[in-house]
Each structure stands twice: as C-alpha cells, then as structure tokens.
Amino acid sequence: MATIAFNNICKSFGENQVVRDFNLTIEDGEFVVLVGPSGCGKTTSLRMLAGLEAPTSGRIALNNVDITDVPSKARELAMVFQSYALYPHMSVADNIGFALSLQKRPAQAIRAEVLAAAKRLEIDHLLARKPRELSGGQRQRVAVARAIVRQPQAFLFDEPLSNLDAKLRHSARVEIRKLQQQLGTTALYVTHDQIEAMTMADRIVVMEGGCIRQVGTPMELYMHPNSVFVASFLGAPPTNCIAGEIVHAAGSVQFRSDSLRLALHPETPRGPATLGIRPESLQPGEGSAVHLQLQGAVRFVEALGAETLVDLSIAGGAGASPQAPPTELTARLPGHHRLASGDILPFHVAKQDLRLFGSDGNVLVDAVAVTDRASEERMGDGGGLQRAVTEYV
C-alpha cells in the first residue's frame, strides 16, 4: 500500500501555468477524488503522479521516497484511463495480462492471475473476446482488471466512467469503490462529476484554476464550503447564490439584496457579498424567529418522485423594497408536493443553514445573526429580520 505526497507542485506549459502550489498528502488506503471544472488542472496533477508529465517545480513522494524523476514504468502505480486504452488486436485475457508479460512472468502464473482478476470483476466469460466485441461497461471492467493484476502501490483513475450511460455509471462507481475497499489499495480518482466525488470519496479535493480550493470529507465540503465556488460546485441543484451588499447603518449591520434584508454580526465587514442557500434548506410554511422568512411564487415544478424541485420567485423579508425585482431560487422538497405554477406561499430557511461570502468569494464565518424567540418577545417588536442578536452561527 502507499502514502502519496505532492509537495509544492507547479506545472506550466509554456507561459500557461495549469497547476499552482499543489500540496496534498494521501494516506495509506485512502480514496481521494480530485474534482473541478474542465481545465482546472486535476488530470495534469494525476499525470504528474503517474510519471506521464514532469512537474515544472516541486516534488512527489511515494511512501516517503522521492519519485519525481523515477520513470513511469518503475513507479508501481496502475492507471485506468478515460478511453480505457485497450489494445484492439489483443483478447481480453491478453489485455489484462499485458503488464505481467512485460515482466517476463511465467505463462501459467499470468493465466492464474488474469483469471482471478476477471472473476473478481465478473468478466471471466469474456476472456477470449476482443475489445470491439465488448460494451462500454465491459471495457471499463477490463481496464480495472488490468490495473488489479499489477498489484500496484496505488490506483490512479482518470475519469473512467465518463463514457458510460447514467445507469452504468451508478453501478460502476459502486463496483470500483467496493473493490478498492476490499483490496485496501490507495486510490486517486479524477472526475468533473460532483456526484461521483460525493459518493465515492473518503476526501474530496476541489480544484479551480490550477489551485486547490478546499479539501475535506464529502459532508464537510457540502455543509461547510469555504467559498462561493465550492458551495455552487458541489450539490445538484447547486446552491442558490444571492448577490447583495453588507451595509452598516443606524447602528445595525445587514445583508441587503433587491428582495431581502438579513441581520448580521456587528463586526461583519461592509462591502459586496453573496448569500448562499442550499435548495433543501428552503422549506414551505411559516418559520420561527431563528428562520429567514420569505414569500415565494412558484414558477415551475419538477416532480421527480422521491423529491420535487421548485423554481421560485422570492419577494423578501422585512424592510425589502416592494418595487424590487424578485430573486429566483430553487427549492428541493422531499417526495410529492401538490404545487403548481402561480401558487404563492411562505418559505423559511433556518439561519444556521445560511452561508455568507465576502467580496473575495470566501466564507464569512459567524456572520449570520440568529435571534431566539425569548429575546424577541422581550423586545416586543413583532417580527421581521432586524432584531437584537443573542447568538451567531
């Protein structure tokens, strides 16, 4: 098994710097996923680990041994490519055992290991076929079997499911994750699909513009994104992002947008800001003092069976201008809801579920004010969002 360390890795192609200050340690047996939009540097980072690209600067270590200048074939790593890279003139058995044949292993030993890997992936009945006779899912399994027989220190996956349809993608990611857990082999997996990242990873590395934006477990990143980019990238539908401004006026601090007002911690810095609301945090009905109160007009309903997605036009809370244009949001509701376009009803969001991001796009920690009902009743102001603050989240 293997521990992998990227230390201050940078990579440039001419004047184009595609990876910058990449620092990451992958623990023995861990399944780590690099995720981000196209061109963010995730595949280049994987290829540098595989030895297919040389870093411009920085060092890469495998089990505390520097492998930066070690040839790819000597790194004891097995890579599954997006295209699977199967030899079209070879049988499935020969494709799986090719790396072993290069090592001059005895033919009988190669056949035994190929058969064992094929049985593990339930493709032993396909060993005599050529790649052109296989479905996309079968080719993907052959590529994984070829990686297994090498008994590598780590598996490297470069978007191996991108050529499969939705149903096969689901079953394939389950198979890959179960296989990795059974073998206990360290894995680094690259994808642009945030669902793959959320469902497969022990830890996710979110990349943008060649840089690491955040690292953590799937739920850490989902519940506590450190930037607008991470909040909007992870989640389907994505986080609702409401542009506005933090205003200091009349002894209070508020986030203000066209359609809502929200009380903030007195020390929150002024300036442009973005309020993030996860679709599932928007719930129909009246809330309490610790909820952001909204009024929503239903624009479109997508009933998906287990959940319902609702596009809303929101007219905001206390103090918002009635002439302001509505804010467009998406709500995710469980199960089936009898809603129709044109319905108008109240919505609420627990304030602890709100995320506020500053002008630089980074999260403002402890910015959103939560008022308890007891203090509200003591004040006797009758509601609204502009209240005394007793607790912050």
Side-chain angles (χ1 to χ4, degrees):
M1 302 305 106
T3 299
I4 298 166
F6 294 85
N7 298 306
N8 302 314
I9 294 295
C10 296
K11 177 63 178 179
S12 298
F13 293 100
E15 297 183 356
N16 183 26
Q17 191 172 34
V18 295
V19 177
R20 293 178 289 165
D21 300 323
F22 190 92
N23 289 281
L24 177 68
T25 298
I26 303 170
E27 301 298 337
D28 185 16
E30 193 175 22
F31 195 112
V32 172
V33 176
L34 303 184
V35 67
S38 297
C40 70
K42 55 188 185 295
T43 293
T44 301
S45 300
L46 188 77
R47 289 175 62 85
M48 285 190 285
L49 174 58
L52 302 177
E53 299 284 352
T56 304
S57 62
R59 312 303 293 178
I60 299 173
L62 181 67
N63 288 330
N64 298 316
V65 176
D66 192 324
I67 61 167
T68 311
D69 301 318
V70 174
S72 176
K73 63 182 180 180
R75 293 193 180 194
E76 297 185 84
L77 303 172
M79 189 162 176
V80 178
F81 294 89
Q82 181 177 2
S83 64
Y84 310 138
L86 302 179
Y87 295 105
H89 63 287
M90 291 184 180
S91 67
V92 167
D94 290 340
N95 267 283
I96 295 173
F98 183 69
L100 301 181
S101 64
L102 292 180
Q103 297 173 7
K104 307 298 183 182
R105 300 277 292 276
Q108 185 175 356
I110 293 175
R111 285 195 297 270
E113 293 194 34
V114 167
L115 182 59
K119 284 183 175 180
R120 182 183 287 273
L121 289 159
E122 300 180 356
I123 54 172
D124 49 303
H125 62 293
L126 303 175
L127 290 175
R129 296 188 186 182
K130 298 290 178 63
R132 64 177 178 273
E133 302 174 80
L134 306 179
S135 68
Q138 290 169 337
R139 292 177 188 175
Q140 185 261 338
R141 291 187 184 192
V142 173
V144 173
R146 181 176 58 187
I148 289 174
V149 297
R150 294 184 58 186
Q151 298 181 345
Q153 294 287 322
F155 292 126
L156 312 182
F157 296 93
D158 184 16
E159 303 204 42
L161 309 184
S162 60
N163 296 323
L164 304 182
D165 60 37
K167 183 178 179 180
L168 276 177
R169 285 172 76 100
H170 170 75
S171 60
R173 67 175 179 253
V174 171
E175 289 173 358
I176 288 175
R177 189 64 172 107
K178 286 172 61 178
L179 179 65
Q180 185 269 338
Q181 290 173 335
Q182 291 168 4
L183 297 173
T185 307
T186 307
L188 183 59
Y189 187 104
V190 162
T191 182
H192 65 276
D193 187 326
Q194 52 95 13
I195 294 177
E196 284 181 27
M198 291 290 293
T199 56
M200 298 179 75
D202 292 320
R203 284 191 301 152
I204 296 174
V205 180
V206 182
M207 296 186 66
E208 181 194 24
C211 297
I212 294 175
R213 295 305 182 193
Q214 191 171 358
V215 181
T217 67
M219 291 313 298
E220 283 173 350
L221 269 58
Y222 189 82
M223 299 303 296
H224 304 287
N226 66 3
S227 65
V228 172
F229 175 79
V230 175
S232 58
F233 189 83
L234 292 179
T239 292
N240 296 291
C241 292
I242 304 171
E245 188 172 4
I246 299 170
V247 177
H248 293 217
S252 68
V253 178
Q254 293 182 339
F255 171 80
R256 296 182 181 180
S257 73
D258 287 337
S259 58
L260 64 84
R261 302 290 184 267
L262 178 65
L264 302 176
H265 190 289
E267 296 181 1
T268 305
R270 69 185 72 209
T274 301
L275 184 66
I277 304 175
R278 288 285 184 195
E280 62 272 19
S281 297
L282 276 163
Q283 292 297 314
E286 299 286 349
S288 69
V290 292
H291 290 89
L292 172 63
Q293 312 286 345
L294 304 166
Q295 190 78 4
V298 177
R299 299 176 60 247
F300 186 71
V301 178
E302 294 179 272
L304 304 177
E307 64 182 14
T308 298
L309 303 182
V310 184
D311 288 347
L312 301 168
S313 290
I314 294 293
S321 169
Q323 287 78 39
T327 300
E328 307 298 330
L329 303 178
T330 299
R332 175 196 277 139
L333 307 180
H336 178 65
H337 284 259
R338 297 184 179 276
L339 300 176
S341 297
D343 287 350
I344 298 177
L345 65 159
F347 276 79
H348 64 273
V349 182
K351 290 182 183 177
Q352 63 263 30
D353 292 337
L354 298 171
R355 295 291 177 267
L356 190 67
F357 305 94
S359 58
D360 60 358
N362 294 325
V363 70
L364 296 172
V365 179
D366 297 335
V368 178
V370 174
T371 308
D372 64 30
R373 185 170 294 279
S375 63
E376 174 191 331
E377 290 173 351
R378 287 195 298 270
M379 291 188 65
D381 68 352
L385 297 176
Q386 302 177 50
R387 298 186 173 97
V389 175
T390 59
E391 181 184 358
Y392 300 93
V393 296

